[in-house]
């Protein structure tokens, strides 16, 4: 089917030619504090919600990605030093690096398991610090969302 997207009020409507029509609720991050009932309603009605206007989180992400872009523009030697020697197979049984730098023709990535902090070699100390800060922000956001849904503080 041909997918089209249009923003309507605070919702993103994805229209198709038939039975797959759905509405994805969108809420600004600030609504978690100012109107948590709206978040609960959205989750109850659809099972998910897109949080927008992430403020600090957007800045953290931009800063980390700028560090990554500088790393990718650097030497092949620095990329090699930030690569893992451990390989695993993904869900499609394709060999992947466990963590660290991974480069292919179509993309370059730096893999880190969110629970794993000491991976040996990062693109830079600043990248590690920013990744850790962004991860903590996102984990806190997940805790906040879950706490709203469970109606208790889970932190």
């Amino acid at each position: 089917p041909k997918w089209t997207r249009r923003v309507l009020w605070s919702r993103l409507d994805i229209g198709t030619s038939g039975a797959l029509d759905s509405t994805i609720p969108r809420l600004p991050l600030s609504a978690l504090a100012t109107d948590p009932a709206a978040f609960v309603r959205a989750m109850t009605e659809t099972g998910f919600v897109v949080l927008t206007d992430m403020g600090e989180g957007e800045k953290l992400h931009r800063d980390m990605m700028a560090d990554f872009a500088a790393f990718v523009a650097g030497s092949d030697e620095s990329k090699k030093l930030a690569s893992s020697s451990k390989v695993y197979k993904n869900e499609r049984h394709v060999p992947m690096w466990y963590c660290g730098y991974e480069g292919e023709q179509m993309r370059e990535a730096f893999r880190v398991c969110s629970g794993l902090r000491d991976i040996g070699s990062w693109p830079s100390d600043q990248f590690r610090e920013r990744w850790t800060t962004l991860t903590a922000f996102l984990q806190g956001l997940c805790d906040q969302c879950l706490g709203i849904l469970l109606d208790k503080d889970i932190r």
Side-chain angles (χ1 to χ4, degrees):
K2 181 178 178 186
W3 293 83
T4 60
R5 296 176 5 154
R6 64 187 183 279
V7 177
L8 185 62
W9 298 292
S10 64
R11 295 182 180 263
L12 175 69
D13 294 342
I14 300 176
T16 66
S17 59
L20 296 178
D21 284 350
S22 65
T23 301
I24 300 172
R26 297 171 57 89
L27 293 170
L29 179 61
S30 61
L32 295 180
T34 62
D35 190 7
F39 176 73
V40 172
R41 273 192 312 277
M43 291 297 289
T44 302
E45 291 172 8
T46 63
F48 55 91
V49 62
V50 174
L51 293 173
T52 63
D53 307 318
M54 301 290 286
E56 176 192 0
E58 291 176 16
K59 181 186 181 326
L60 292 169
H61 184 259
R62 273 192 311 272
D63 291 348
M64 185 197 67
M65 291 307 293
D67 286 346
F68 182 66
F71 167 73
V72 168
S75 71
D76 288 342
E77 183 61 29
S78 65
K79 293 174 189 176
K80 186 176 180 179
L81 291 172
S83 296
S84 172
S85 60
K86 186 175 179 181
V87 176
Y88 76 99
K89 290 186 179 179
N90 72 6
E91 67 280 356
R92 293 178 292 153
H93 304 287
V94 175
M96 308 287 276
W97 295 116
Y98 179 69
C99 61
Y101 172 76
E102 179 178 304
E104 298 177 10
Q105 288 180 334
M106 297 297 289
R107 68 181 173 98
E108 294 181 285
F110 192 83
R111 296 180 182 276
V112 184
C113 175
S114 63
L116 187 63
R117 301 281 190 231
D118 184 17
I119 63 168
S121 183
W122 291 81
S124 69
D125 289 340
Q126 183 170 307
F127 180 88
R128 180 183 67 230
E129 182 181 319
R130 287 183 170 166
W131 180 89
T132 302
T133 303
L134 177 61
T135 301
F137 173 84
L138 294 172
Q139 288 173 337
L141 178 57
C142 289
D143 288 348
Q144 183 181 4
C145 291
L146 187 57
I148 291 169
L149 292 172
L150 297 177
D151 195 24
K152 66 180 182 179
D153 187 8
I154 62 166
R155 293 181 216 182

